[in-house]
Amino acid sequence: MMSDTYQPPKVWRDEGSDAGVWKNLNRPVAGATHEKALPRGTHPLQLYSLGTPNGKKVTILLEELLAAGEQGAEYDAHIIRIGDGDQFGSGFVGVNPNSKIPALLDTSAQLEVRVFESGAILLYLAEKFGRFLPKNLAGRTEALNWLFWLQGSAPYVGGGFGHFYHYAPVKLEYPINRFTMETKRLLDVLNQRLAENRYLAGEEYSIADIATWTWYGGLVLGELYEAKTFIDADSYTHVVRWAQEIAERPAVRRGRVVNTQTLAERHDAADIDAVVK
């Protein structure tokens, strides 16, 4: 039984105490739980993912690359149903030993390249195609500042605020207050930056915006955790302006539906054409 007066034992042991929505996904050890090969499509890039904020980062960037004329960015997006434990299959663990989506295989060269962690995938693709990352050192560094800021801050929004406010089976004041305060502080960091800049790296749209939009854009647009009113999202006017602008980009509209209930898998542009007008 959960209690707000919990006292930690001297040595923690997994006793199945997590009664939350993710109870069947969390375990204190790594590695595969079953044998399962990954499917392969026909395109150079094979993505294994789910339409979460981290998953959408990659499909949005891939659609942006295709929109920019990079045909080498053609991809197959295979769905990984984390509720079913697909991420613990041997094939997936071979691509990402951390068993988290998204994971990417680049099969375009003789030696296949695996890429895991969403930020690493964005950086890999931006460098591979020379797009969505400023060319000059100062601009590139600023974009990477914000990309790594996002990678470090998103867990406070998802695993912290989102979990305790939206998913936790028991609503506890202390963790909700703790992570709400930090989420609002991070929104204020963004708001101040975007008050003086169109995009995070300046005037150039980059992978930093793509990565950050899927988390903070979704939050202020009311698409995450049913929390728009609770966090007073509309007060972050510059974040809202930026989020709305990015949401209207055709490639963003296309990429955000992949590996979701709207479109479970993407193997051809026509797959998205059928659901995004």
Side-chain angles (χ1 to χ4, degrees), residues 97-235:
N98 195 38
S99 293
K100 301 291 184 181
I101 61 94
L104 179 76
L105 273 179
D106 184 350
T107 68
S108 62
Q110 184 174 3
L111 181 63
E112 292 183 349
V113 177
R114 74 173 187 180
V115 197
F116 60 90
E117 293 297 322
S118 58
I121 297 173
L122 294 188
L123 183 56
Y124 176 81
L125 292 172
E127 291 185 329
K128 177 181 175 72
F129 294 103
R131 302 266 191 178
F132 303 107
L133 189 61
K135 300 292 193 298
N136 66 84
L137 181 61
R140 173 189 168 85
T141 301
E142 190 65 17
L144 293 181
N145 285 342
W146 289 102
L147 175 63
F148 287 105
W149 172 86
L150 180 279
Q151 295 299 115
S153 72
Y156 288 98
V157 178
F161 172 73
H163 177 79
F164 287 104
Y165 175 75
H166 187 70
Y167 293 116
V170 176
K171 298 297 184 282
L172 301 175
E173 183 177 7
Y174 176 78
I176 290 175
N177 284 344
R178 167 71 178 86
F179 288 108
T180 299
M181 182 176 296
E182 182 63 3
T183 296
K184 289 179 69 67
R185 186 190 72 81
L186 294 165
L187 281 167
D188 196 42
V189 171
L190 271 184
N191 203 55
Q192 292 185 40
R193 173 65 180 172
L194 293 168
E196 299 179 353
N197 297 272
R198 182 179 180 185
Y199 298 116
L200 290 174
E203 290 301 304
E204 186 175 342
Y205 176 68
S206 74
I207 55 174
D209 298 288
I210 294 172
T212 305
W213 182 84
T214 64
W215 281 102
Y216 292 93
L219 196 59
V220 300
L221 295 177
E223 298 172 3
L224 284 181
Y225 312 130
E226 300 176 347
K228 182 177 179 179
T229 299
F230 182 73
I231 62 167
D232 192 18
D234 289 341
S235 67

Side-chain angles (χ1 to χ4, degrees), residues 66-89:
L66 289 170
E70 297 290 347
Q71 292 306 306
E74 273 292 353
Y75 68 104
D76 292 277
H78 309 276
I79 193 165
I80 299 296
R81 301 184 190 279
I82 61 176
D84 296 339
D86 291 349
Q87 70 276 29
F88 301 124

